[in-house]
C-alpha cells in the first residue's frame, strides 16, 4: 500500500522524516480530541527524537512504516467521522457505546503486556509528566 511521495518509496532522508513528522503533528492538531492530542504529540516528538540517529535500514523501515500506518489510521478515522457528521454514513455503535469511528479504544483491564510494552508505557508516562 505504497503511496506516491511516501517515505516508503523514497530513501529514508531527513526531509522525508521531517515531512512525516509534520504531517502527523498536523493530523493531531486537526483531528485528535483535545485529551489525546497533547499525549500523542508528546509521544511523537519523543519517538522521532530517539530515532534521529538510527542508521540501520531495517529499523528505519520499521519505524517509518509504523508511523505511516498510524497517520493512515488517523486520517481514515477522521474521514469517517466527517462522513458521519455530514450524514453520508450511519454510525453503528457497539454495546459499550463506542464506535469503530472513534479515536482510541478501551483496553481490558486484564490485558497481558510484554516486558517491552510495559517499558514503553512507563516511558510514555514519564514523557507526559515532563510535558506538564
Amino acid at each position: 500500500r505504497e503511496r506516491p511521495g511516501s517515505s516508503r518509496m523514497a530513501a529514508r532522508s531527513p526531509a522525508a522524516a521531517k515531512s512525516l513528522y509534520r504531517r502527523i503533528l498536523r493530523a493531531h492538531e486537526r483531528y485528535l480530541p483535545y485529551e489525546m492530542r497533547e499525549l500523542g504529540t508528546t509521544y511523537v516528538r519523543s519517538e522521532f527524537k530517539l530515532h534521529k540517529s538510527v542508521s540501520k535500514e531495517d529499523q528505519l523501515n520499521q519505524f517509518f512504516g509504523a508511523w505511516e500506518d498510524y497517520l493512515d489510521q488517523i486520517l481514515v478515522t477522521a474521514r469517517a467521522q466527517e462522513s458521519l457528521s455530514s450524514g453520508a454514513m450511519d454510525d453503528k455503535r457497539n454495546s459499550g457505546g463506542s464506535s469503530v469511528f472513534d479515536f482510541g479504544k478501551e483496553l481490558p483491564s486484564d490485558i497481558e503486556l510484554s516486558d517491552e510494552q510495559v517499558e514503553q508505557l512507563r516511558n510514555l508516562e514519564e514523557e507526559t509528566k515532563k510535558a506538564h
Side-chain angles (χ1 to χ4, degrees):
R1 168 182 107 204
E2 303 206 355
R3 297 173 305 277
S6 81
S7 55
R8 288 185 190 174
M9 294 178 72
R12 302 292 186 195
S13 69
K18 196 173 200 176
S19 172
L20 177 60
Y21 175 77
R22 286 180 175 168
R23 288 182 304 155
I24 292 169
L25 293 182
R26 277 194 300 268
H28 280 189
E29 187 64 32
R30 185 169 180 191
Y31 301 117
L32 287 185
Y34 176 78
E35 60 275 4
M36 298 176 84
R37 187 179 313 143
E38 186 174 345
L39 175 65
T41 297
T42 299
Y43 186 69
V44 169
R45 286 182 176 141
S46 172
E47 284 295 299
F48 272 76
K49 190 174 188 178
L50 287 172
H51 285 81
K52 207 173 195 177
S53 61
V54 172
S55 59
K56 291 185 177 180
E57 190 67 25
D58 60 328
Q59 289 177 341
L60 290 171
N61 287 338
Q62 184 178 6
F63 178 79
F64 284 106
W67 283 108
E68 287 172 342
D69 289 345
Y70 170 75
L71 178 58
D72 286 346
Q73 180 184 5
I74 290 174
L75 297 176
V76 165
T77 302
R79 280 188 213 109
Q81 287 181 344
E82 288 171 354
S83 293
L84 286 172
S85 65
S86 72
M89 289 175 52
D90 289 330
D91 189 6
K92 307 285 188 224
R93 298 215 167 249
N94 64 25
S95 60
S98 64
S99 168
V100 295
F101 305 120
D102 290 339
F103 285 106
K105 63 181 177 181
E106 293 293 323
L107 295 176
S109 59
D110 62 343
I111 191 169
E112 291 188 30
L113 300 174
S114 69
D115 291 341
E116 182 181 351
Q117 289 170 320
V118 170
E119 183 64 26
Q120 285 180 324
L121 284 174
R122 284 191 186 121
N123 290 340
L124 182 58
E125 180 181 33
E126 288 173 19
E127 287 298 320
T128 57
K129 286 179 182 176
K130 286 180 193 176
H132 293 293

